[in-house]
Amino acid sequence: MYADNKIRRNTIRDITKLKNDRPVVSLTAYTAPMATALDPHVDFLLVGDSLAMVLYGMESTIGVSLDTMIEHTKAVMRGSQKALVILDMPFGSFEQSKEQAFQNASRALRETGCAAVKLEGGIAMADTIKFLVERNIPVMAHIGLRPQAVHVMGGYRTQGKNQEERGQMIEDAYAIQKAGAFSVVLEGVAEPLAVEITEKLDIITIGIGASADCDGQILVVEDMLGYFPSNAKFVKRYAEVGQTIDSAIKQYSDDVKARIFPGNEHTYALKPKS
Ligand code: KIV
């Protein structure tokens, strides 16, 4: 706490020093009310480009723009006080050149107030990561199953199951660390490989469909709340919010049709004459 009693937001250092201490807790958030609900319980919030599918009903994450990511990150910043907030760089906003990545990542930090960006890619993005980090932009990398590469990967498949993929991923992980990323998301990675990478790296690994032995975990919050139709094996459903909403809306619909809603307690009477 600072003297003015404001809650201090977690820093990158607060997160990185959790390696070999306790697992890092994180979730995605796209809106202010969700950020407010998650904030007391997580170390960081990721404004993931998964919002393309979860919020906007798109087929994949490919279609979301940087402008959209920025608006949602502003909302998450407004809704949270304590969690470090990370913006996920969308497809097309960083791959063209290091300069393009800096232009867009610096805009993201400047306009939203978030502290870091995440970008998908391993060795191919190492120069870009280095360029950003040298210019004061903290980077979380993302390897394994990379949803932005769905078309070249031929679908959403667990990665690292064969020797070639395994070797490539270890190279990716080392290259990312050397480039200066403070963390790496391991998505859809075979468990023994996720463990090996976590043991080999000094930076923190955040698993999603990887291993409980990663340095931390992340899930798409709508998946774990049962508010998005995910059948991924790695999602544990902690609630069935979709069902709760369905029965509440059905009740509302029945009440309106039966003129039970609004009741007297929900309507305004005329002021009595004085
Ligand atoms: O976009 C996203 O939500 C992500 C997480 C699943 C890591 O990249």
Side-chain angles (χ1 to χ4, degrees):
M1 289 278 202
Y2 284 128
D4 62 3
N5 270 350
K6 263 180 100 181
I7 295 171
R8 182 176 77 77
R9 208 178 268 284
N10 287 336
T11 62
I12 305 280
R13 203 175 123 68
D14 293 327
I15 308 288
T16 55
K17 70 181 187 208
L18 292 175
K19 180 134 188 148
N20 302 321
D21 180 357
R22 65 142 171 94
V24 178
V25 182
S26 63
L27 285 165
T28 59
Y30 317 131
T31 65
M34 186 61 88
T36 303
L38 307 185
D39 193 47
H41 309 291
V42 298
D43 297 305
F44 75 83
L45 289 169
L46 172 70
V47 186
D49 64 352
S50 50
L51 64 76
M53 299 164 84
V54 176
L55 281 194
Y56 289 95
M58 295 179 187
E59 281 274 304
S60 75
T61 59
I62 306 282
V64 73
S65 70
L66 181 62
D67 286 348
T68 300
M69 295 305 299
I70 285 179
E71 289 312 314
H72 283 281
T73 305
K74 284 185 194 169
V76 168
M77 287 294 291
R78 287 192 287 263
S80 61
Q81 290 183 279
K82 181 195 76 121
L84 178 88
V85 175
I86 302 176
L87 177 147
D88 203 2
M89 296 294 286
F91 179 69
S93 69
F94 61 95
E95 304 91 328
Q96 191 178 7
S97 66
K98 300 178 285 192
E99 290 76 12
Q100 181 216 23
F102 179 75
Q103 203 71 35
N104 287 328
S106 61
R107 180 180 161 216
L109 262 59
R110 221 173 34 242
E111 292 186 16
T112 68
C114 78
V117 296
K118 175 170 88 58
L119 54 85
E120 291 186 15
I123 211 160
M125 284 298 131
D127 284 350
T128 298
I129 294 172
K130 185 165 185 286
F131 194 79
L132 296 184
V133 174
E134 282 172 348
R135 284 158 185 77
N136 305 319
I137 300 183
V139 177
M140 169 179 275
H142 181 154
I143 59 174
L145 193 167
R146 291 178 292 115
Q148 292 175 9
V150 59
H151 298 310
V152 288
M153 285 183 159
Y156 300 106
R157 281 188 313 108
T158 306
Q159 301 293 303
K161 282 190 160 167
N162 63 45
Q163 204 52 35
E164 194 193 332
E165 283 179 4
R166 191 183 152 275
Q168 181 61 55
M169 218 180 300
I170 291 177
E171 267 187 51
D172 282 337
Y174 275 127
I176 287 161
Q177 169 164 283
K178 189 157 176 248
F182 71 93
S183 170
V184 59
V185 169
L186 304 179
E187 176 165 357
V189 175
E191 142 110 319
L193 179 56
V195 173
E196 186 179 345
I197 293 174
T198 301
E199 281 169 2
K200 285 193 156 126
L201 293 191
D202 297 323
I203 63 174
I204 52 170
T205 61
I206 302 294
I208 171 162
S211 166
D213 286 334
C214 287
D215 297 313
Q217 299 296 324
I218 190 160
L219 282 175
V220 170
V221 72
E222 285 78 1
D223 284 347
M224 56 89 85
L225 290 179
Y227 190 31
F228 186 72
S230 167
N231 53 8
K233 174 182 159 90
F234 60 79
V235 175
K236 177 171 175 184
R237 292 274 266 262
Y238 285 84
E240 293 299 340
V241 168
Q243 282 172 20
T244 305
I245 292 176
D246 186 63
S247 61
I249 303 306
K250 180 179 180 315
Q251 187 64 58
Y252 168 75
S253 169
D254 291 350
D255 284 1
V256 169
K257 288 175 191 157
R259 299 193 190 281
I260 291 172
F261 177 82
N264 284 344
E265 67 277 34
H266 307 115
T267 51
Y268 300 99
L270 285 177
K271 266 196 182 158
K273 281 196 182 136
S274 51

